[in-house]
């Protein structure tokens, strides 16, 4: 099957070169969104059949597959916005029908048009699509403090919502450019706003956004302990910065995709990991309800957006729909270390790593190192050589590491 994908702008009177006009006039089956149909309808032949691209897309592709014998080459001419290979429908065709032949005739995408209107070089711009997608990639480029970010929006991830999220996590050093109905000579509008101003405005759809930083702050390697909000002001309830960094190193996070922090307390380990390893998906678990506000406060304080926080007993938490971890840190266990690790192993990726920091203290009645060794033996986990650390006048800490080549 063959698809010819033609990119168009929002212009209600589009211009096409003769070659594309000839393709359109000789076509039989056409497809695109309802807005695309309104734009190109005057150019279609009288006997044209139109297939709306609407969700669910599986139904749309079933209609495409049913066209066998209807057209000369089983060809569908698709109209798509901008460049069909730029977060566009051509990518969807390749994913859904990898055997199909695809020919693409692009035009400028919306972010290119916005950059042109602003006379802004865009070769150095980071691109994020929030169209039907979560905040994950946007959070990543924001934490990395990209100086120029182009954003494709939708009805949920509006310019106002984007600006609000940036302000919530302290990224106030950007200005926002918004392009509405780009390519439509009657409705096109390009405006520039402070983030505060953008949160109070409504923008017409479709729109896109470019945010540009007017300054950047240096990233800190190792957040000072005093920079965190604490649980009841108790300094001992936070993983100290040197221990925190050694723990993250032991987790081998550069090669991981998903990190779980069990017993997150103030969120210091999750937050440090989020800022240092922006590619990670991070899930934090904490049993104490009073820690929820503390974790969120620390996330906002340090610009660590995108951490998925779960409050409640880990052993009672439904983890089936959560992303499977490659690396797990157990910061607290309440005497149930074996039960926690057994549950972790039901979802841990093959070769995944578990780290546990054992504190040697005469005040602790249960020897956590003994619990760890017994659990690893019972679960057939492979242990790495431990790392023993004595920090100032605190009790010695042993960083314990185990991995498994399979899940239970």
């Amino acid at each position: 099957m063959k698809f010819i994908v033609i990119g168009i702008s929002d212009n209600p009177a589009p211009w096409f070169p003769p070659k594309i006009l000839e393709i359109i006039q000789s076509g039989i089956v056409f497809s695109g969104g309802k807005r695309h149909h309104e734009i190109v309808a005057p150019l279609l032949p009288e006997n044209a059949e139109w297939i709306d691209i609407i969700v669910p897309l599986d139904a749309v592709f079933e209609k495409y597959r049913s066209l066998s014998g209807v057209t000369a080459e089983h060809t569908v001419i698709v109209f798509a916005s901008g460049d069909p290979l730029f977060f566009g429908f051509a990518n969807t065709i390749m994913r859904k029908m990898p055997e199909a032949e695809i020919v693409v005739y692009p035009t400028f995408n919306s972010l290119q048009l916005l950059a042109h209107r602003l006379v802004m070089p865009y070769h150095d711009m980071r691109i994020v699509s929030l169209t039907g997608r979560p905040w994950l990639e946007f959070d990543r480029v924001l934490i990395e403090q990209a100086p120029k970010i182009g954003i494709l929006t939708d009805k949920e991830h509006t310019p106002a919502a984007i600006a609000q999220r940036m302000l919530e996590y302290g990224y106030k050093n950007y200005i926002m450019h918004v392009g509405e109905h780009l390519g439509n000579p009657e409705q096109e509008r390009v405006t520039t706003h402070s983030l505060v101003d953008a949160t109070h405005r409504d923008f017409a759809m479709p729109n896109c956004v470019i945010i540009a930083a007017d300054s950047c702050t240096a990233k800190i390697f190792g957040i000072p302990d005093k920079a965190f909000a604490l649980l009841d002001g108790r300094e001992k309830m936070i993983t100290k910065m040197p221990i925190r960094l050694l723990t993250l190193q032991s987790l081998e996070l550069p090669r991981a995709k998903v990190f779980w922090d069990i017993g997150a307390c103030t969120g210091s380990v999750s937050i440090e990991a989020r800022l240092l390893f922006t590619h990670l998906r991070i899930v934090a678990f904490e049993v104490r309800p009073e820690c929820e506000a503390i974790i969120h406060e620390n996330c906002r304080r340090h610009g660590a957006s995108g951490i998925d926080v779960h409050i409640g007993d880990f052993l009672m938490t439904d983890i089936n729909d959560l992303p499977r971890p490659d690396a797990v840190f157990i910061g607290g266990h309440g005497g149930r270390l074996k039960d926690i690790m057994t549950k972790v192993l039901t979802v841990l990726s093959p070769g995944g790593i578990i780290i546990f920091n054992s504190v040697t203290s005469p005040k602790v009645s249960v020897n956590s190192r003994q619990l760890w060794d017994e659990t690893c033996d019972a679960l057939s986990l492979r242990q790495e050589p431990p790392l023993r650390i004595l920090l100032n006048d605190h009790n010695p800490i042993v960083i314990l590491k185990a991995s498994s080549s399979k899940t239970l």
Side-chain angles (χ1 to χ4, degrees):
M1 191 165 190
K2 182 177 181 180
F3 289 88
I4 298 174
V5 191
I6 301 171
I8 62 174
S9 72
D10 203 46
N11 193 322
W15 178 87
F16 295 111
K19 181 179 180 179
I20 295 181
L21 285 175
E22 183 179 341
I23 291 172
I24 294 173
Q25 287 301 310
S26 62
I28 298 175
V29 180
F30 299 84
S31 191
K34 291 184 178 180
R35 183 170 59 89
H36 302 137
H37 194 189
E38 293 173 358
I39 292 173
V40 301
L43 302 175
L44 302 182
E46 291 184 3
N47 61 338
E49 176 184 348
W50 183 272
I51 298 175
D52 277 324
I53 297 176
I54 55 176
V55 293
L57 288 179
D58 286 345
V60 177
F61 279 87
E62 282 303 314
K63 290 182 180 179
Y64 293 157
R65 292 186 179 93
S66 69
L67 293 172
S68 178
V70 175
T71 67
E73 297 177 335
H74 313 323
T75 298
V76 179
I77 300 172
V78 179
F79 294 95
S81 298
D83 182 349
L85 290 171
F86 182 78
F87 298 101
F89 197 69
N91 300 327
T92 305
I93 296 172
M94 286 188 284
R95 186 176 68 254
K96 295 281 190 179
M97 299 180 69
E99 74 285 354
E101 178 187 353
I102 302 174
V103 178
V104 175
Y105 295 96
T107 190
F108 288 120
N109 65 61
S110 59
L111 287 172
Q112 287 176 311
L113 288 175
L114 180 54
H116 294 162
R117 302 296 188 265
L118 296 167
V119 194
M120 175 188 288
Y122 60 89
H123 59 276
D124 57 343
M125 183 165 66
R126 297 282 296 275
I127 306 297
V128 175
S129 175
L130 291 175
T131 306
R133 293 173 170 85
W135 290 106
L136 188 65
E137 285 303 312
F138 176 68
D139 289 336
R140 176 177 182 176
V141 296
L142 202 59
I143 291 170
E144 292 173 0
Q145 298 189 62
K148 194 183 299 177
I149 306 171
I151 309 163
L152 300 176
T153 63
D154 64 15
K155 292 181 179 180
E156 178 182 350
H157 303 92
T158 64
I162 292 167
Q164 182 61 50
R165 188 172 184 86
M166 295 174 70
L167 291 172
E168 180 181 358
Y169 288 97
Y171 295 96
K172 304 175 182 179
N173 55 318
Y174 286 83
I175 58 172
M176 176 176 284
H177 308 283
V178 183
E180 305 165 73
H181 289 291
L182 293 171
N184 187 322
E186 297 180 358
Q187 296 180 297
E188 178 176 295
R189 188 172 70 151
V190 175
T191 53
T192 299
H193 310 270
S194 69
L195 295 180
V196 173
D197 179 47
T199 62
H200 301 294
R201 291 181 177 267
D202 293 323
F203 297 91
M205 294 290 293
N207 61 60
C208 64
V209 168
I210 294 176
I211 56 174
D214 53 24
S215 63
C216 289
T217 55
K219 292 185 68 174
I220 297 176
F221 180 74
I223 304 170
D225 298 338
K226 63 182 180 181
F228 288 97
L230 302 176
L231 175 62
D232 299 327
R234 296 154 66 188
E235 295 182 2
K236 292 184 178 181
M237 296 301 291
I238 185 173
T239 302
K240 300 297 184 290
M241 186 261 287
I243 308 298
R244 194 186 317 136
L245 295 180
L246 286 170
T247 297
L248 296 179
Q249 185 276 332
S250 299
L251 285 160
E252 301 181 24
L253 294 180
R255 70 177 184 88
K257 294 180 180 178
V258 179
F259 167 51
W260 283 13
D261 179 8
I262 301 174
C265 193
T266 62
S268 64
V269 173
S270 289
I271 289 167
E272 193 86 64
R274 187 75 183 109
L275 299 181
L276 292 176
F277 307 100
T278 57
H279 69 285
L280 281 177
R281 293 187 65 179
I282 299 179
V283 185
F285 303 88
E286 172 54 44
V287 67
R288 288 165 288 206
E290 61 268 31
C291 285
E292 182 172 14
I294 295 172
I295 294 172
H296 287 301
E297 165 61 24
N298 283 325
C299 286
R300 289 189 292 268
R301 185 179 293 189
H302 299 289
S305 54
I307 296 174
D308 184 12
V309 179
H310 294 260
I311 300 298
D313 187 340
F314 175 76
L315 294 175
M316 301 298 292
T317 300
D318 184 359
I319 61 174
N320 292 321
D321 293 331
L322 297 177
R324 295 182 60 172
D326 312 284
V328 176
F329 172 59
I330 301 177
H333 59 86
R336 300 181 294 173
L337 183 61
K338 183 178 179 180
D339 292 337
I340 291 172
M341 291 177 65
T342 299
K343 184 170 184 175
V344 165
L345 287 180
T346 65
V347 293
L348 185 69
S349 297
I353 292 171
I354 302 174
I355 295 292
F356 173 65
N357 291 348
S358 172
V359 181
T360 303
S361 172
K363 297 180 180 180
V364 179
S365 59
V366 179
N367 188 320
S368 58
R369 174 65 187 276
Q370 181 180 347
L371 279 176
W372 169 265
D373 289 338
E374 291 173 354
T375 298
C376 289
D377 288 341
L379 299 178
S380 300
L381 294 173
R382 182 176 61 252
Q383 290 201 58
E384 302 288 337
L387 178 62
R388 187 175 187 274
I389 305 162
L390 180 61
L391 184 64
N392 299 330
D393 296 327
H394 298 286
N395 293 312
I397 292 177
V398 181
I399 297 179
L400 301 169
K401 179 176 182 179
S403 60
S404 174
S405 60
K406 62 181 180 178
T407 55
L408 296 179

